[in-house]
Amino acid sequence: MPDTDEGGFQERFFTSSDGLRLHARDYLSDRAATAGRMPVICLPGLTRNTRDFHPLALLLSRDTKVPRRVVALDSRGRGNSAWDENKANYNLAIEAGDVIAACAALGIERAIFIGTSRGGLILHLIAATRPDLLEAVILNDIGPVLEAVGLARIRNSGRKPADWNEAAVILKENHGASFTALTEQDWGEMALALYRDIDGRPVADFDPAIAEALKSIDFSQPLPDLWEQFESLSRLPLMLIRGDNTSLLSQETAGEMARRHPGLIRHAAEGQGHAPLPHLGNIPTALRAFLATCR
C-alpha cells in the first residue's frame, strides 16, 4: 500500500525494469469525481523532481469542476528515487522506459503528459516507441532542438548554499534576469523544490553524476536533434509553453514546431526563462483551457 501524506498526495514506490526503486507522487483526488477523465502525468527537468509540480498538481486535482488524477514522477537519481550505481543509465532511453514502468505499476493505460525540459525530451521518445500511452502532450520550454547556450547555462549552475536563505539568494542571482516575474516567496519555494534538507543544510536533490555528465558535452559541435521523434508527437493534441526569456528553446524552433504541427497550441510564459514554473502567472489558465479539449 502507498504511504499517505497530508499534502494532498500519496507517496508511491515502484520498481524499474532493471530493479531500481523509483518514486512518484499520486494526487488521486476523488476517484468518483475523476472517473472518465484522463490522468495527468508530470515529468520534471534534468535535475528537478516531483516538488516542481506540487502547486500545479493541487490546482488540477482539486479543481472544483473538472478534477483530474495527477501523477508526478521522480526520474532515477532524483528526488526520492534511488540513485543508479551505473551512471551510464542516466540517459533518455532508460528514463523513458522508467516512465513506461511507472504507468504499468500505477495502472495507467493512457494519460495526458506534461514534460518540463528533459521530461519533454523523454516524451519525444515515448511518442516514437509507445504512442498508445499518450492522449495529449504539453511541452514546457522544450522542443526537438536544444540551444547550446541554454544547455551550457544549465551546466554552469552556481555555488553551493550554506543555508536556506542563501539557497534562495543564489537561485535569484543565477536566474533572476530571466525570471523577472518571480517574487521573493517564489524564490524561496523554488529553493525548497530544488534542494533537500540534510542536517539543516540545503543539498541539491539529485545524484551529482547527472550534472557531471553535462561537462563532457562539446558545445563546439552541433547537438543532435529529435525532429524524427517529433513527427510522432505531431499526431497528438500538443501544447507548447515557452518562457519569454528562455535560452534553451529558440523562436525559430518553436516556429518550425508549429509549421510541422498546425494544431500546436502555443503559450508564452511572461517574465520567465528556462524552464517556466507551470503554476505561476497565466499558465494554469492556459493549461486548463487545453485540458478542457481532452478527455
Side-chain angles (χ1 to χ4, degrees):
M1 293 293 290
D3 297 325
T4 59
D5 188 293
E6 295 180 357
F9 58 88
Q10 292 180 319
E11 305 277 8
R12 305 291 295 269
F13 290 91
F14 60 97
T15 304
S16 69
S17 61
D18 57 354
L20 210 62
R21 189 172 190 252
L22 303 179
H23 169 259
R25 285 185 172 187
D26 194 346
Y27 299 76
L28 287 165
S29 186
D30 179 79
R31 288 184 180 272
T34 60
R37 296 192 189 94
M38 287 287 167
V40 176
I41 298 180
C42 303
L43 310 182
L46 176 67
T47 58
R48 307 305 286 256
N49 58 72
T50 57
R51 297 191 296 278
D52 270 354
F53 290 103
H54 181 65
L56 179 68
L58 290 179
L59 285 173
L60 298 180
S61 63
R62 294 177 174 177
D63 190 293
T64 56
K65 295 182 179 179
V66 283
R68 291 181 185 268
R69 179 187 183 187
V70 180
V71 175
L73 303 181
D74 278 333
S75 297
R76 60 178 61 208
R78 291 86 158 177
N80 288 333
S81 287
W83 292 10
D84 198 322
E85 293 184 2
N86 182 359
K87 307 309 178 183
N89 284 340
Y90 294 131
N91 66 69
L92 291 177
I94 293 290
E95 290 168 23
D98 291 343
V99 175
I100 295 169
C103 291
L106 299 175
I108 298 174
E109 296 181 354
R110 194 170 177 87
I112 301 162
F113 284 79
I114 302 175
T116 293
S117 194
R118 186 179 181 89
L121 297 179
I122 290 171
L123 289 175
H124 280 70
L125 269 63
I126 292 176
T129 58
R130 283 293 307 275
D132 56 296
L133 287 176
L134 308 179
E135 176 71 17
V137 169
I138 300 161
L139 298 176
N140 185 15
D141 210 58
I142 196 69
V145 177
L146 303 179
E147 299 302 314
V149 62
L151 201 57
R153 286 181 182 175
I154 294 174
R155 180 178 66 176
N156 298 327
S157 56
R159 66 186 187 278
K160 297 178 180 179
D163 55 44
W164 286 98
N165 286 333
E166 188 178 19
V169 169
I170 290 173
L171 287 172
K172 186 174 181 180
E173 287 177 354
N174 289 341
H175 307 291
S178 56
F179 282 87
T180 56
L182 270 61
T183 66
E184 293 303 320
Q185 180 177 336
D186 293 327
W187 291 113
E189 291 176 354
M190 183 187 289
L192 291 172
L194 178 59
Y195 296 99
R196 176 185 294 274
D197 190 307
I198 298 182
D199 298 327
R201 181 170 181 167
V203 177
D205 200 7
F206 59 88
D207 185 341
I210 295 168
E212 285 295 319
L214 284 179
K215 296 180 180 179
S216 65
I217 297 176
D218 182 359
F219 289 110
S220 67
Q221 300 299 316
L223 298 173
D225 65 61
L226 293 173
W227 283 119
E228 181 178 350
Q229 291 79 5
F230 180 79
E231 292 302 321
S232 298
L233 281 175
S234 68
R235 295 189 287 270
L236 296 167
L238 184 64
M239 179 179 181
L240 174 65
I241 300 168
R242 181 179 181 275
D244 272 348
N245 305 319
T246 183
S247 58
L248 195 72
L249 176 63
S250 70
Q251 286 280 20
E252 291 74 17
T253 296
E256 180 63 14
M257 292 167 71
R259 188 190 71 78
R260 298 189 186 209
H261 190 314
L264 178 69
I265 303 298
R266 298 173 65 175
H267 179 77
E270 298 178 357
Q272 296 206 60
H274 181 81
L277 303 178
H279 60 281
L280 295 184
N282 57 2
I283 298 178
T285 299
L287 287 175
R288 283 192 178 106
F290 179 78
L291 291 174
T293 67
C294 305
R295 287 194 289 163

